[in-house]
């Protein structure tokens, strides 16, 4: 195709988005109860495809998925997939790739109880969304493009820091990210001019 992507499935929105809402997916009621897998593949023109598959309440491949949405959060360097409210578990919590555009993905439970998947981008990219059926899958198509992304989010094996990122920060200082730590305890230390000025958790 002219945009360099592969042929896409039924219901595809063929418009690539550089920032903001990418699209919505799913039926009013779906069989999906858990995230079964996240896989990726390279596509024509230097792009990548990220595929999310789902399982029903018996652990079998789901044929339908409830409503969800996708947004490209360029200031954070992630594509966020908000999962249907019925999907509250997953076979994995994180996946790492040795790829050019997308580097890793995390299944996250938000503070309000909903779940989302963050696909972290290694460099500037645009995204589009489409669905496949029987079994159901949500497919993100990525291609190089758009304004520069921030440096990758600082992380270790148990904590990902989405904000603040590199550069100056001002008060009130908002800190965002996700973690999987012992007893859900995350230690925070604020260092100013080489001195710890605040320790909390």
């Amino acid at each position: 195709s002219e945009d360099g992507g592969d042929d896409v499935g039924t219901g595809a929105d063929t418009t690539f988005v550089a920032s903001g809402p990418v699209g919505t997916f799913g039926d009013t009621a779906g069989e999906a109860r858990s995230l079964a897998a996240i896989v990726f593949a390279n596509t024509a023109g230097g792009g990548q495809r990220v595929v999310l598959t789902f399982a029903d309440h018996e652990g079998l491949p789901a044929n339908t998925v409830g409503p969800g949405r996708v947004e490209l959060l360029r200031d954070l360097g992630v594509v966020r997939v908000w999962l249907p409210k019925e999907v509250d578990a997953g076979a994995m919590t994180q996946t790492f790739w040795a790829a050019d555009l997308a580097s890793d993905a995390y299944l996250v439970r938000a503070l309000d109880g909903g779940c989302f998947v963050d696909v972290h981008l290694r460099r500037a990219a645009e995204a589009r969304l489409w669905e496949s059926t029987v079994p159901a899958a949500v497919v993100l198509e990525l291609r190089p493009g758009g304004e520069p992304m921030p440096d990758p989010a600082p992380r270790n094996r148990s904590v990902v820091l989405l904000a603040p990122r590199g550069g100056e920060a001002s008060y009130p200082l908002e800190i965002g990210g996700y973690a999987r730590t012992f007893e859900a305890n995350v230690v925070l230390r604020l260092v100013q001019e080489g001195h710890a000025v605040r320790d909390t958790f």
Side-chain angles (χ1 to χ4, degrees):
S1 63
E2 289 183 355
D3 59 283
D6 293 344
D7 291 338
V8 296
T10 303
D13 179 351
T14 57
T15 303
F16 278 91
V17 174
S19 185
V22 175
T24 60
F25 61 87
D27 300 320
T28 55
E31 298 175 355
R33 295 296 178 270
S34 65
L35 179 66
I38 305 173
V39 296
F40 86 101
N42 294 328
T43 63
Q48 288 178 348
R49 182 173 293 168
V50 182
V51 182
L52 283 67
T53 59
F54 301 87
D56 65 15
H57 67 282
E58 295 180 345
L60 300 173
N63 292 321
T64 57
V65 179
R69 71 184 194 277
V70 177
E71 53 189 340
L72 200 164
L73 304 175
R74 197 162 206 89
D75 57 335
L76 299 181
V78 301
V79 179
R80 181 163 293 174
V81 182
W82 287 96
L83 301 177
K85 63 181 180 180
E86 297 85 4
V87 177
D88 61 358
M92 84 299 294
T93 56
Q94 60 194 56
T95 304
F96 298 97
W97 305 309
D100 191 34
L101 288 179
S103 61
D104 46 3
Y106 297 85
L107 173 62
V108 183
R109 185 178 305 279
L111 294 177
D112 65 4
C115 285
F116 61 86
V117 172
D118 267 0
V119 177
H120 287 248
L121 300 174
R122 221 182 270 281
R123 64 188 182 96
E126 299 173 333
R128 68 179 175 183
L129 165 71
W130 54 279
E131 300 176 62
S132 65
T133 57
V134 191
V138 173
V139 183
L140 299 177
E141 201 87 35
L142 302 173
R143 71 176 185 186
E147 296 296 321
M149 297 276 187
D151 291 337
R155 70 198 72 188
N156 60 25
R157 293 184 62 182
S158 56
V159 178
V160 176
L161 180 66
L162 290 179
R165 300 289 266 274
E168 293 185 1
S170 59
Y171 291 97
L173 185 63
E174 294 187 6
I175 299 170
Y178 24 85
R180 186 179 59 186
T181 56
F182 181 68
E183 294 185 346
N185 186 37
V186 180
V187 176
L188 170 69
R189 173 172 293 151
L190 181 62
V191 178
Q192 191 171 38
E193 297 179 351
H195 302 285
V197 295
R198 181 73 186 273
D199 276 290
T200 186
F201 62 91

